[in-house]
Amino acid sequence: MPRNRRTFIKRHIDEYCENSSLAGVKYVVAKDRSVFERAWWMIAITCSFLLSLYLIRGLWVKWNDSPVIVSFAEKSTSVWEIPFPAVTICSSSRVRRSVFNYTKYYEMDDYELTEDERRKLSSVDLLCLKPDENGEELINESRIDSLEEVVTEEFIKICAWGNGLNINCSNRFTPIMTDRGYCFTSNSLSHSDIYHEDGLNSKYLKSLPNAIHWDLEKGYDNKAPLNMSYPLRVNNSGKKLGLSILMMMNTSEYDMLCSGFLKGFTVTLHNPAEIAPVSDRYFDVPLNQKVSLAVKPNMMTTSSNLRNYSPERRQCYFAHERKLAFFKVYTQNNCEMECQTNYSLKECGCVWFHMPRAKDTPICGGKRHDCVLFKAFEKRITDEIHAKFNNEVGSTCNCLQSCTSLAYEAETSQGNIMDIKDLMVLLDHPQLGAQEYLWWTTWID
């Protein structure tokens, strides 16, 4: 480099350092400072610069790994903007003894059973979650439909919605097949809104209405009247605007070998756009008790500014980003159910009777009970843990939560009710008081 150019560059560097507002920089070029002092300032500035780079790198790594910040909304959401929870109720009584005495046939030797009794016992084993090593590998759809003959009778007797207004329980609650057998659900979306055409080859949920003026991501239409939209919603919080239900169980029909030792009901509150995970999240409701649930909605929305980020970075899926084979609406619960179905089909060659499936998918019989409920489940969990530790994105189900999610939490309280016979007379149903027990509950939104 020519001498004049070097002199020119040095002069400009000296001039910059002498007039810089950065602490210590002017002392590096100060001619009235000793060489030791100028070197000390050079080392101090260099160390400060390296420390700044280290701290900046830490912030960048933190942002790169977790670019999304979860915070409370600045504006509160009105209760009428959120659907009332879908309610799925299951009875612990899975079969009626008067129709099919499971204990009697289960304890009989195989040669004592007729062909029809043996076939029914094999089908009811599925409801009672009993493995059957001598049973069938696969069963057909008609065997699942035949279970309706032996399942518990409708146990929801009286329903009241808002201000004590009695409603027709049969219109509000519809039977649905779950991993706990036949349950009843209300305020869920219909079969055609939840499943694709081949999502589930069954008749369940088809009697429920389609969504009216509501979408999981967009919410309710602003111009939709309160009583002309579905799922149902309330215009205020409080017990008076909740849902009250009277349920009864005929204990003489209870088969302990099939249903277990705990008599009562389970209640699951869930997003109307998903199938209830009745075995994973539920509230136990004992007999002869009044149980109240104070419901608290938990809704999460995601800013549209995050759409440019990949789902792995923001840790959620928008509706258009993840398509499921069986379900129309993406939620984390729907994704996990479909994932478990795929694992069951892969590991066992069939799926369990309640799982979503195409028309030609084999249905597992009692002989593959352990494979479906234990082996396939453990395989899925093991694969997910392995993928997480090895950062193998996309190698498993990868069921991230939905960017617009809706869940419900509840606080419960309960107390004893009056004598059963007195209550039946009070309700003008004295004929129900002989052998039946009840539970009265209220959901408070």
Side-chain angles (χ1 to χ4, degrees):
M1 181 182 293
R3 180 180 179 84
N4 291 340
R5 179 173 294 182
R6 287 200 302 268
T7 303
F8 175 79
I9 293 175
K10 182 178 182 301
R11 186 172 69 250
H12 278 77
I13 292 175
D14 291 345
E15 184 178 350
Y16 170 79
C17 292
E18 289 173 357
N19 295 282
S20 175
S21 60
L22 296 175
V25 173
K26 64 181 179 180
Y27 300 127
V28 175
V29 297
K31 294 181 174 56
D32 58 343
R33 304 286 176 172
S34 66
V35 174
F36 173 79
E37 186 175 356
R38 292 165 66 182
W40 186 91
W41 277 108
M42 176 66 74
I43 294 172
I45 292 171
T46 303
C47 291
S48 299
F49 179 73
L50 293 176
L51 178 61
S52 298
L53 288 179
Y54 175 78
L55 295 176
I56 291 171
R57 180 184 179 278
L59 291 174
W60 184 88
V61 169
K62 182 179 179 181
W63 172 83
N64 188 60
D65 293 341
S66 304
V68 179
I69 298 176
V70 180
S71 62
F72 290 103
E74 297 179 358
K75 181 182 176 182
S76 61
T77 302
S78 302
V79 68
W80 58 83
E81 298 179 64
I82 303 172
F84 196 81
V87 181
T88 300
I89 306 174
C90 302
S91 172
S92 61
S93 179
R94 301 189 180 190
V95 297
R96 285 184 286 170
R97 289 173 61 93
S98 62
V99 178
F100 186 81
N101 192 329
Y102 180 79
T103 300
K104 171 187 173 182
Y105 294 116
Y106 186 84
E107 294 177 347
M108 291 172 65
D109 292 325
D110 191 62
Y111 69 88
E112 298 178 286
L113 298 171
T114 66
E115 186 63 31
D116 182 60
E117 290 170 344
R118 191 179 296 110
R119 188 168 57 254
K120 276 190 176 181
L121 179 62
S122 179
S123 298
V124 177
D125 277 337
L126 302 179
L127 285 179
C128 301
L129 299 180
K130 301 287 186 183
D132 187 0
E133 293 300 328
N134 299 318
E136 300 167 289
E137 296 272 356
L138 303 172
I139 60 175
N140 55 39
E141 191 75 37
S142 62
R143 296 279 293 280
I144 302 301
D145 293 337
S146 68
L147 290 176
E148 289 188 20
E149 302 172 8
V150 301
V151 295
T152 183
E153 60 187 341
E154 188 170 340
F155 47 80
I156 301 175
K157 302 300 181 181
I158 300 176
C159 307
W161 169 262
N163 295 318
L165 179 64
N166 287 346
I167 56 178
N168 189 324
C169 298
S170 299
N171 293 340
R172 294 295 187 190
F173 285 88
T174 185
I176 181 176
M177 180 68 79
T178 71
D179 52 350
R180 295 178 67 95
Y182 281 85
C183 301
F184 290 87
T185 188
S186 176
N187 212 38
S188 294
L189 298 187
S190 71
H191 182 283
S192 59
D193 274 351
I194 293 181
Y195 294 107
H196 292 300
E197 186 174 351
D198 269 349
L200 182 64
N201 185 24
S202 78
K203 62 186 178 182
Y204 305 108
L205 294 178
K206 292 184 178 178
S207 62
L208 291 173
N210 292 332
I212 304 173
H213 303 301
W214 181 79
D215 177 82
L216 180 59
E217 279 200 345
K218 300 176 182 178
Y220 286 101
D221 188 339
N222 292 331
K223 298 180 180 180
L226 192 68
N227 59 348
M228 295 294 291
S229 54
Y230 188 86
L232 301 176
R233 49 181 169 161
V234 293
N235 57 13
N236 207 340
S237 60
K239 181 177 180 180
K240 291 182 179 180
L241 297 177
L243 174 66
S244 300
I245 302 173
L246 174 67
M247 297 189 300
M248 297 186 178
M249 177 184 292
N250 191 340
T251 55
S252 66
E253 293 277 16
Y254 195 85
D255 193 308
M256 191 170 294
L257 181 61
C258 174
S259 304
F261 296 98
L262 299 178
K263 297 178 182 178
F265 305 92
T266 61
V267 177
T268 300
L269 307 178
H270 57 99
N271 184 335
E274 63 188 19
I275 300 299
V278 295
S279 290
D280 297 328
R281 290 187 290 275
Y282 58 86
F283 298 94
D284 277 314
V285 180
L287 298 176
N288 296 326
Q289 294 281 314
K290 173 186 176 182
V291 180
S292 298
L293 289 85
V295 181
K296 180 181 178 182
N298 187 354
M299 186 172 66
M300 186 191 78
T301 59
T302 303
S303 171
S304 59
N305 296 331
L306 293 176
R307 290 181 182 269
N308 294 329
Y309 291 89
S310 67
E312 288 73 25
R313 294 186 67 188
R314 73 171 103 90
Q315 288 297 296
C316 70
Y317 285 113
F318 286 102
H320 67 280
E321 292 178 322
R322 181 72 186 272
K323 301 298 183 182
L324 300 176
F326 299 130
F327 295 96
K328 286 184 177 180
V329 181
Y330 179 86
T331 70
Q332 193 171 37
N333 284 336
N334 288 348
C335 177
E336 290 175 350
M337 180 177 287
E338 181 168 304
C339 177
Q340 189 58 48
T341 300
N342 294 334
Y343 265 88
S344 297
L345 188 59
K346 179 181 177 182
E347 296 295 320
C348 310
C350 55
V351 301
W352 206 231
F353 63 92
H354 76 283
M355 290 179 172
R357 58 188 179 271
K359 293 181 180 180
D360 57 349
T361 303
I363 302 174
C364 297
K367 194 170 184 177
R368 299 190 184 180
H369 169 276
D370 289 346
C371 179
V372 176
L373 298 187
F374 298 105
K375 180 183 176 181
F377 177 77
E378 291 173 0
K379 174 66 173 173
R380 177 172 73 89
I381 299 302
T382 301
D383 286 353
E384 288 180 354
I385 294 174
H386 182 270
K388 184 173 183 179
F389 277 106
N390 292 279
N391 294 321
E392 298 174 357
V393 178
S395 61
T396 58
C397 304
N398 198 28
C399 291
L400 302 176
Q401 66 179 340
S402 172
C403 290
T404 302
S405 63
L406 180 61
Y408 299 89
E409 301 172 354
E411 296 180 0
T412 64
S413 60
Q414 63 188 68
N416 296 325
I417 59 172
M418 65 174 68
D419 182 80
I420 180 68
K421 292 182 180 180
D422 292 340
L423 184 58
M424 290 303 97
V425 172
L426 180 64
L427 295 174
D428 197 26
H429 291 284
Q431 71 279 8
L432 297 177
Q435 296 178 334
E436 302 193 3
Y437 294 78
L438 62 85
W439 162 68
W440 174 268
T441 186
T442 303
W443 280 268
I444 308 172
D445 193 13

